[in-house]
Amino acid sequence: MMLWLLQQTVLLSFVCGILLVGHSAFQKHLGAHKTYSLWMMLPLVLISSVLANYLPSNFLPVQSNQIAYYSIKAGKAITQSESTWYSQTLIAIWVLGFILMSLTLFLQGTYLKKLLLTAKKVEKLDSYLPTYSHPKVLSPMLVGFFNPRIILPTNFLSLSQLKQHSIIAHEQYHHKRFDLPCNLLAYGILTIFWFNPLFWLAYRRFRDDQELACDAEVTETLNKEEKIIYSKMLLAYSQQANHGLLHTHYGNKHILKERIMQMKTRQKGQSGLAVLGLTITLGLSSLLLNQQVLAGDDKGNDIHPVIRIEPVYPAAAVKANQNGFVVLQFDISPQGEVNNIKVIKSSPTAMFDASATEALKKWRYKESKTGAKGSMVQLDFVIEAPTSDIERIKVTSK
């Protein structure tokens, strides 16, 4: 679990960094809609991490053109016991943060549910979604995954028809684009990686880009005077806007200037084919990135076990302070089982053979269509790991 979190944190941090640093350039050349679509890269990376683990085992044969190396240390059990408290502490901290994030989401959901119970129905508005008003709501917002509703401030009916239409269109576009489920997904990712500050910055930028994309959609057909009116509404509703995880926030004072400046430039339209192509490109890119991360875990080996049993360090070798190695050749069945094990070379002769062979019988590899023949592994038995200042050079003969 912790290893997966670390791998995905590094990869997602790289993606977040690109999206944050290059945001201005993306907005300028791609427009608000496609820039917002770029955030799909993050969930696609996580999905691809699952696909990268399971798809190759079903479609690709196991490669066995390289020898794998593993070290078995006599003092490894002691080292693991000494480091257990450290790993357990990290896991406990992560679990605590995960619980707090989940609790925050639950409490806000409870608050919104109570808010809806006391909200007043608003009739005769040009909206295909049910509309309500509530005195505690200071800025228009869309609420509800299964029964979406628009909640408005109590002074909404005093606005002109143009203002009302623009606000309703803004919130309805949130609904058409499934922004509420996207927000929940984004917060879910943040909940998993809450310990990374970069994810908090990315989450905030994602929500801001969401509003910018909606503004671009609504103001696309407005003239200059109408855009000025729309800007004034943004200013009015951004002073005391309701910010939350489970609803949209029309008023957003953090990017008020950016939203107003965007109206002065002509936005690139949202092409269905362009978004589809962008989605496919992002999906393939994320799959490639995850495959590279997994390849890095293999330390250059094309073949690695999914279950690896540690050999028992022979008592006689421990007593004699004896190091050594065993080179084993074996076959892998399509089911990932190990068979036909042969000792190719060992040193000292026969000292570690039995222990290495017995452990290798219990190893399991990924399932594949053809399995593999003649796979090789070298198990290095080491009493004590060399110090970091000693250079290690592997010498092979032709």
Side-chain angles (χ1 to χ4, degrees):
M1 176 64 180
M2 295 304 295
L3 178 60
W4 181 85
L5 280 175
L6 180 61
Q7 291 173 346
Q8 299 306 314
T9 297
V10 173
L11 183 56
L12 291 177
S13 296
F14 173 72
V15 176
C16 288
I18 292 177
L19 294 178
L20 290 171
V21 173
H23 183 267
S24 298
F26 293 143
Q27 283 278 15
K28 179 179 179 181
H29 298 289
L30 298 179
H33 293 295
K34 295 184 182 68
T35 300
Y36 176 62
S37 299
L38 287 175
W39 290 106
M40 289 188 295
M41 184 73 167
L42 296 178
L44 288 175
V45 165
L46 292 177
I47 293 172
S48 69
S49 70
V50 178
L51 296 179
N53 276 315
Y54 293 102
L55 285 182
S57 63
N58 296 326
F59 297 103
L60 299 177
V62 179
Q63 302 298 317
S64 60
N65 59 340
Q66 293 188 17
I67 184 170
Y69 296 86
Y70 296 96
S71 293
I72 296 86
K73 300 181 181 63
K76 188 172 183 179
I78 299 175
T79 304
Q80 288 178 338
S81 64
E82 291 176 346
S83 62
T84 297
W85 70 269
Y86 178 77
S87 59
Q88 289 179 344
T89 302
L90 289 179
I91 293 174
I93 294 174
W94 178 84
V95 170
L96 179 61
F98 183 87
I99 292 174
L100 290 176
M101 295 285 289
S102 302
L103 181 61
T104 302
L105 188 68
F106 173 77
L107 291 176
Q108 185 165 124
T110 303
Y111 169 77
L112 289 177
K113 187 176 181 180
K114 292 180 179 179
L115 193 72
L116 287 170
L117 291 176
T118 56
K120 182 180 179 181
K121 178 78 172 179
V122 178
E123 305 288 351
K124 299 180 180 179
L125 287 179
D126 186 17
S127 171
Y128 70 85
L129 292 175
T131 54
Y132 294 80
S133 66
H134 198 285
K136 291 185 178 180
V137 174
L138 305 177
S139 178
M141 60 187 188
L142 175 67
V143 177
F145 295 99
F146 304 105
N147 187 19
R149 284 163 281 188
I150 299 174
I151 306 183
L152 305 163
T154 52
N155 65 346
F156 181 78
L157 293 177
S158 63
L159 302 177
S160 66
Q161 283 194 340
L162 173 62
K163 293 180 179 179
Q164 291 182 13
H165 175 75
S166 298
I167 292 174
I168 294 296
H170 183 101
E171 299 305 325
Q172 288 184 151
Y173 188 63
H174 275 304
H175 176 255
K176 291 178 182 177
R177 202 175 49 186
F178 303 103
D179 281 345
L180 286 181
C182 290
N183 290 346
L184 184 61
L185 177 61
Y187 187 78
I189 296 175
L190 181 62
T191 301
I192 296 174
F193 301 97
W194 62 266
F195 51 86
N196 190 331
L198 196 61
F199 281 68
W200 290 89
L201 295 175
Y203 176 77
R204 180 171 171 175
R205 183 69 261 180
F206 161 79
R207 295 295 300 268
D208 291 346
D209 284 346
Q210 187 177 94
E211 297 302 323
L212 287 170
C214 280
D215 289 342
E217 175 70 16
V218 174
T219 60
E220 183 179 6
T221 58
L222 300 183
N223 57 38
K224 183 178 180 180
E225 289 74 16
E226 291 170 337
K227 288 182 178 180
I228 293 175
I229 295 175
Y230 189 85
S231 300
K232 290 181 178 180
M233 286 192 300
L234 290 179
L235 180 62
Y237 282 127
S238 295
Q239 301 308 309
Q240 295 177 313
N242 305 77
H243 293 272
L245 308 172
L246 295 174
H247 62 77
T248 60
H249 43 268
Y250 176 81
N252 189 343
K253 61 183 178 181
H254 299 295
I255 57 165
L256 181 60
K257 181 179 179 181
E258 188 176 354
R259 295 176 74 176
I260 293 176
M261 293 298 295
Q262 176 182 256
M263 298 181 202
K264 296 182 179 181
T265 59
R266 181 176 179 81
Q267 287 293 311
K268 295 177 173 61
Q270 180 176 212
S271 168
L273 289 177
V275 173
L276 178 61
L278 184 61
T279 304
I280 294 174
T281 302
L282 292 178
L284 293 175
S285 300
S286 60
L287 184 59
L288 177 61
L289 286 173
N290 250 303
Q291 286 179 335
Q292 290 174 343
V293 169
L294 292 176
D297 292 340
D298 294 343
K299 300 178 181 178
N301 301 320
D302 293 326
I303 177 175
H304 64 282
V306 293
I307 298 177
R308 181 166 66 89
I309 305 300
E310 192 84 346
V312 177
Y313 210 104
V318 175
K319 187 176 181 180
N321 198 34
Q322 181 68 63
N323 296 333
F325 70 89
V326 181
V327 178
L328 301 165
Q329 186 179 71
F330 59 98
D331 297 336
I332 303 174
S333 70
Q335 293 75 34
E337 298 176 348
V338 174
N339 48 53
N340 298 329
I341 301 174
K342 299 177 181 178
V343 176
I344 303 300
K345 186 179 181 181
S346 64
S347 177
T349 303
M351 172 67 79
F352 303 100
D353 294 10
S355 177
T357 302
E358 187 63 28
L360 186 58
K361 290 178 182 178
K362 302 174 184 177
W363 289 22
R364 292 294 180 271
Y365 288 78
K366 287 185 178 181
E367 295 183 4
S368 60
K369 280 190 174 182
T370 60
K373 299 288 185 181
S375 299
M376 298 183 68
V377 63
Q378 176 171 319
L379 302 180
D380 296 320
F381 290 79
V382 184
I383 289 289
E384 186 178 350
T387 58
S388 58
D389 59 340
I390 296 179
E391 184 178 4
R392 302 186 69 184
I393 303 175
K394 184 180 291 295
V395 180
T396 58
S397 60
K398 293 184 181 180

